[in-house]
Amino acid sequence: MNIITKPTFTATVTIGMQLGYSKQLYQKSKLIALLQNFQQQQIKERKVFLSACISECEIVLSGQVEPHIKLDFINYPKFPLEEKQFKAEIELLVTYLMKELDQNRIVIVFHNETKMFEKSKEIDPRI
């Protein structure tokens, strides 16, 4: 048995399923297709393999209860990255998904910091 050990880098990205601040939801299959498109492009162009664990959840804040999809990433030992590149790849993905899924704000929780990507200061009116 071969055991490979690499430094632990993690990231969690939580993405709202509403398009903008509307009540219109996109399907999980749309996010999966976008994720796979991004992955295929990164593999082909840069030999970067970034796998994601996908789960559904809800974010609750005051009057807002919004369905979300959570993407969890690790520094997968079979295709390891340096920490700086790992973070940069996640940030590229978030920028791509924000545009494609009409998201105003997405937060990334890394193993050692939290970053919020925000297009405008607008807040969901239900909060």
Side-chain angles (χ1 to χ4, degrees):
M1 174 164 315
N2 187 25
I3 299 174
I4 301 170
T5 302
K6 296 293 177 183
T8 300
F9 309 134
T10 61
T12 299
V13 176
T14 308
I15 304 168
M17 293 184 72
Q18 293 177 344
L19 298 169
Y21 293 127
S22 71
K23 292 187 179 186
Q24 182 182 356
L25 300 177
Y26 63 84
Q27 297 296 312
K28 182 171 135 182
S29 60
K30 178 175 180 160
L31 176 85
I32 290 171
L34 289 168
L35 178 60
Q36 288 176 318
N37 180 55
F38 180 86
Q39 290 169 326
Q40 290 166 356
Q41 182 179 356
Q42 298 305 87
I43 291 167
K44 181 180 177 184
E45 293 177 7
R46 302 189 15 231
K47 304 290 188 244
V48 171
F49 295 79
L50 193 64
S51 65
C53 176
I54 298 176
S55 55
E56 295 183 44
C57 62
E58 292 179 323
I59 298 294
V60 177
L61 178 59
S62 183
Q64 176 198 39
V65 180
E66 182 182 352
H68 278 64
I69 294 178
K70 186 187 295 188
L71 304 174
D72 288 306
F73 301 90
I74 63 167
N75 187 32
Y76 189 58
K78 187 67 177 176
F79 307 108
L81 300 170
E82 294 298 322
E83 180 178 17
K84 187 175 180 179
Q85 184 181 15
F86 176 81
K87 288 182 172 185
E89 295 298 330
I90 302 296
E91 292 174 13
L92 277 174
L93 173 63
V94 163
T95 302
Y96 168 72
L97 292 175
M98 282 182 81
K99 179 182 175 208
E100 296 297 321
L101 297 172
D102 191 23
Q103 297 296 297
N104 183 43
R105 191 175 294 108
I106 294 180
V107 174
I108 306 170
V109 179
F110 288 112
H111 52 280
N112 59 357
E113 68 179 328
T114 300
K115 287 188 176 183
M116 182 176 69
F117 287 64
E118 180 179 63
K119 286 196 267 185
S120 79
K121 298 207 180 286
E122 185 180 2
I123 300 286
D124 188 323
R126 291 164 289 200
I127 295 177

